[in-house]
Amino acid sequence: MSDENTHSDQAHGANGADAALQALKALQAEIQETVLDTVGAVDAYRIRFLSRKQGQITELLKRIPEVANEHKKRFGQEINAAKALVESRIETAAAAFAETETAKGPAFDLTLPGRAVAQGSLHPITQALRLITRVFESYGFDVAEGPEIEDDWHNFTALNFPPDHPARDMQDTFFIEAPSHAHDGILLRTHTSPVQIRVMENKKPPIRVIVPGRVYRNEAISYKSYCLFHQVEGLYIDEGVTMADLKQIIHAFARTLFGEDVKMRFRPSFFPFTEPSAEVDIWWKDENLPDGGRWMEIMGCGMVDPNVLEGLGIDSEKYTGYAFGMGIERIAMLRYGIDDIRILYENDIRFLEQFS
Ligand code: DAH
């Protein structure tokens, strides 16, 4: 730099009155001193000195003719040197800006591990309900639902429960309005079977539905019973439906849920609304037991009692049907190896997390 200044001093010194040389000197000073501390300042600087049309260097080149011949060469060299200085100062400033950007680092640290999104899971009861529903839907069953607050007629009478049947007892049933001479009681349904009645009230055969839902019983709470639980009811009414149809569909269902080699038995039983009635057991393998396992009851079922059909105006000479009802907690506990029903209702995240 000092070298170029010396040249310009000499040029100036030799032609003190020369305006073009004065202009060159002023320009050199400005090129040297302009502060380039922002990107905007650098842009303005570039335009001011280097712009092809109006840049001050271009302007100065146009004045070469004004310069005395013996100084023309030196004048031209000085201008080129000034231009080179502009370019190098721009480059240096730009490099400095780029460096501060890098030093600051990127706005995000891409090497940090991501923050996991906490994801909930379906409750094991919901999972079992959905699985069972899906299996029966694949056999052509529709899904129906009914109210959890029922009247005595749908929950008991229409299902052929005799008036003095022990299931009506206050000990089992949560009554909302106790039976009186004015009406026969409003209650929390004790099973999903009343929805059978509601479906048959509204639809003529053929009928093929399953009914998932919550039921309530006033029982002592223990590892195996709770005051509420879930059931899936099934009902199939058509011409010529037999016990063989019932057995085959339940067997197919058990194979889907418990494996192709599931061992299953129908054990004679009693329900007011079916005749004949049975309970279905599956063989639950358990190496720790002396027999290598034990029978576990998974549902009740049977052929719909003609009394039930006739009570709803369905001709029991023409139509027959089967019904079944299963406890979901029981099935979920078997499938997932849960040994205390109460844990299903405690909302313990350590338990629920295992079902995601
Ligand atoms: N409702 C019966 C219960 O809660 C279960 C049941 C048994 C339902 C036999 C049925 C059936 O549809 O046919 O214990």
Side-chain angles (χ1 to χ4, degrees):
M1 286 304 98
S2 58
D3 202 28
E4 280 156 23
N5 282 338
T6 317
H7 288 169
S8 105
D9 281 347
Q10 286 170 356
H12 189 215
N15 298 275
D18 194 327
L21 290 179
Q22 292 277 4
L24 173 61
K25 183 132 172 105
L27 201 64
Q28 282 170 327
E30 277 183 73
I31 285 171
Q32 186 65 45
E33 282 152 26
T34 302
V35 177
L36 300 180
D37 56 351
T38 66
V39 174
V42 173
D43 278 343
Y45 182 76
R46 178 189 294 113
I47 291 163
R48 178 166 165 217
F49 293 110
L50 298 184
S51 163
R52 285 261 187 96
K53 280 196 176 158
Q54 285 142 10
Q56 296 195 14
I57 295 208
T58 312
E59 291 302 312
L60 209 54
L61 284 170
K62 289 179 189 159
R63 298 179 68 170
I64 289 180
E66 293 172 27
V67 180
N69 275 342
E70 71 265 35
H71 294 307
K72 275 199 170 76
K73 188 177 169 205
R74 166 64 45 87
F75 189 77
Q77 285 170 343
E78 295 269 350
I79 292 174
N80 282 339
K83 190 180 171 193
L85 179 60
V86 171
E87 284 166 350
S88 91
R89 282 203 67 200
I90 288 173
E91 214 171 286
T92 310
F97 292 146
E99 202 170 293
T100 18
E101 274 307 302
T102 323
K104 264 193 267 165
F108 299 101
D109 182 351
L110 300 177
T111 65
L112 278 178
R115 230 169 269 163
V117 178
Q119 202 177 12
S121 58
L122 292 176
H123 193 279
I125 295 296
T126 306
Q127 292 191 25
L129 267 176
R130 290 196 182 176
L131 173 67
I132 293 163
T133 305
R134 217 166 42 235
V135 171
F136 282 104
E137 276 180 329
S138 78
Y139 302 152
F141 283 72
D142 293 327
V143 178
E145 282 183 11
E148 291 178 21
I149 296 173
E150 258 302 1
D151 51 55
D152 182 282
W153 193 79
H154 285 92
N155 197 80
F156 295 124
T157 309
L159 286 161
N160 204 32
F161 281 78
D164 55 353
H165 194 282
R168 295 175 186 245
D169 200 298
M170 302 286 274
Q171 310 238 301
D172 284 322
T173 307
F174 286 114
F175 279 95
I176 290 170
E177 284 174 27
S180 70
H181 60 275
H183 62 79
D184 64 3
I186 306 294
L187 44 86
L188 292 178
R189 67 180 179 194
T190 59
H191 51 177
T192 44
S193 302
V195 188
Q196 286 189 29
I197 304 302
R198 293 188 175 274
V199 169
M200 287 187 277
E201 281 172 338
N202 291 310
K203 193 178 183 305
K204 295 284 146 241
I207 290 168
R208 188 153 47 170
V209 291
I210 55 162
V211 183
R214 187 176 277 199
V215 303
Y216 301 84
R217 282 188 205 173
N218 192 2
E219 285 183 76
I221 291 170
S222 74
Y223 73 95
K224 60 176 177 162
S225 49
Y226 202 67
C227 51
L228 68 89
F229 55 99
H230 296 76
Q231 290 186 332
V232 172
E233 191 82 11
L235 178 69
Y236 180 33
I237 312 277
D238 203 349
E239 291 180 43
V241 178
T242 70
M243 190 91 181
D245 298 319
L246 171 63
K247 285 185 98 167
Q248 78 84 23
I249 201 123
I250 297 305
H251 195 201
F253 168 74
R255 284 201 309 269
T256 309
L257 243 76
F258 300 106
E260 279 303 310
D261 60 345
V262 67
K263 217 162 85 177
M264 189 184 93
R265 74 178 180 191
F266 277 65
R267 181 167 38 79
S269 185
F270 173 80
F271 299 101
F273 39 94
T274 46
E275 180 60 35
S277 304
E279 280 172 296
V280 179
D281 300 334
I282 60 151
W283 181 255
W284 189 252
K285 287 186 198 124
D286 186 344
E287 303 300 319
N288 301 321
L289 294 174
D291 297 335
R294 64 185 157 129
W295 290 106
M296 298 279 292
E297 181 214 316
I298 58 162
M299 69 173 79
C301 62
M303 300 305 291
V304 179
D305 194 301
N307 280 348
V308 173
L309 297 176
E310 295 294 336
L312 293 154
I314 295 172
D315 182 354
S316 65
E317 293 293 326
K318 186 175 179 198
Y319 293 106
T320 52
Y322 62 68
F324 57 83
M326 61 186 112
I328 305 311
E329 278 73 0
R330 168 67 62 84
I331 288 175
M333 288 167 76
L334 279 176
R335 264 181 75 84
Y336 301 124
I338 299 165
D339 56 10
D340 188 329
I341 193 171
R342 290 169 292 195
I343 198 166
L344 291 167
Y345 297 101
E346 281 169 359
N347 286 336
D348 186 332
I349 198 101
R350 294 165 301 177
F351 169 72
L352 296 173
E353 266 172 354
Q354 297 172 45
F355 298 92
S356 53

